[in-house]
Every structure is written in structure tokens, then in C-alpha cells.
Amino acid sequence: MAFDLASLLDVTHLMTFLGGASIGAAGTYMADRFTDQRRNSESQAKSRSRFENLNQLMPEFFSEILSDLKAQPEMAIREFVILPSSSVAFNHGQPRFQYYESQHPALKNYVSLLAESGYVDIVRPNGTPIYRLCEHFVALLQKH
């Protein structure tokens, strides 16, 4: 069979090619979309599991954070410091929560776990460390 250049330009061949390319592209798009949805669902389940594990480890601390967030929601306070006890003063340049090791003996370990999980950022590591609650952690606390 000889090569026929005219058949390449035939409208039916062109339409068949374009139809096949469109179906292939749509299939790839849908597969990618479903894969992204599955990954997102798995990520959310893993995040919920991590949150629940940490909540079981430190329920009093989570409860105290949530209570502080609810006390003055209009202030949108997200930063906090760890102090040995309530008798130690800390000069704030802005509103911050204060949590005390006398109330939570493992507090520094708790905050390290929260930072490792991506729930807390370290704003100032030197001197008296200042930490910031991440918004996705605040949202998880408020849903819980």
C-alpha cells in the first residue's frame, strides 16, 4: 500500500485523531484528579490521626489553648511563651498567651512535638522562646 498524502488531510481521519486525543487527555485529567483527591483524603486522615494522638498525650494543654483562644477571639492571639511558673514575669511587646511548666511539667516536650508536627512555629528561639500557633492547628482545635 502506497503512502497517500491526501488521506492525512481527510476530514474523517483528522476528526478521529482529534477525538482520540481529546478522550486520552480527558482520561489523563480525570485520573490525575482522582489521584489528587485520594492523596488529599489520605493526608487529611493522617493529619486527624496525628492531632488525635497528640490530644490524647496532652489533653489538658490542648484544652487550655482552646480556652485561651475562645476567651478573646477578637484579639486573634496566636503567639505564646513558656514560663517556669506564674510568679515569673515576661515583658510582652504585644498580647501573648503564657503557659507554665508548673502546671504542665512536660510542656517543653509537648511544644517540641507540636512544632515537629507542623502545628507550632518558633518565632524567637533565643532568650525566652516565643512560639506561634499555626492556623490549621487552631482550626483543628476549634473543630474538636
Side-chain angles (χ1 to χ4, degrees):
M1 178 175 209
F3 178 71
D4 184 11
L5 184 60
S7 69
L8 286 177
L9 302 175
D10 185 10
V11 173
T12 57
H13 289 241
L14 180 62
M15 294 302 291
T16 302
F17 171 76
L18 291 175
S22 298
I23 290 172
T28 300
Y29 169 77
M30 293 304 289
D32 289 346
R33 185 171 175 191
F34 289 129
T35 299
D36 290 345
Q37 287 175 346
R38 179 185 52 81
R39 286 181 183 150
N40 187 29
S41 177
E42 288 172 356
S43 175
Q44 288 177 353
K46 188 176 179 180
S47 178
R48 279 191 303 274
S49 174
R50 182 181 326 123
F51 177 84
E52 289 302 325
N53 289 340
L54 290 171
N55 187 33
Q56 289 176 5
L57 180 64
M58 51 186 110
E60 297 87 14
F61 184 47
F62 273 35
S63 179
E64 187 174 349
I65 295 170
L66 182 59
S67 175
D68 288 343
L69 290 167
K70 288 181 176 180
Q72 296 177 323
E74 70 282 356
M75 295 290 290
I77 299 171
R78 298 296 185 260
E79 292 185 357
F80 67 93
V81 295
I82 297 173
L83 300 173
S85 69
S86 58
S87 63
V88 175
F90 180 76
N91 187 13
H92 299 275
Q94 66 185 49
R96 290 188 177 98
F97 300 130
Q98 296 179 10
Y99 299 112
Y100 305 107
E101 291 179 282
S102 60
Q103 292 176 335
H104 308 281
L107 188 55
K108 288 182 180 176
N109 292 335
Y110 291 168
V111 173
S112 291
L113 290 171
L114 292 174
E116 183 180 302
S117 297
Y119 294 143
V120 170
D121 290 327
I122 301 170
V123 176
R124 185 179 81 184
N126 302 326
T128 301
I130 299 174
Y131 304 94
R132 180 179 297 119
L133 302 170
C134 296
E135 286 304 313
H136 65 277
F137 178 58
V138 171
L140 287 169
L141 280 171
Q142 291 172 336
K143 286 181 190 177
H144 187 65

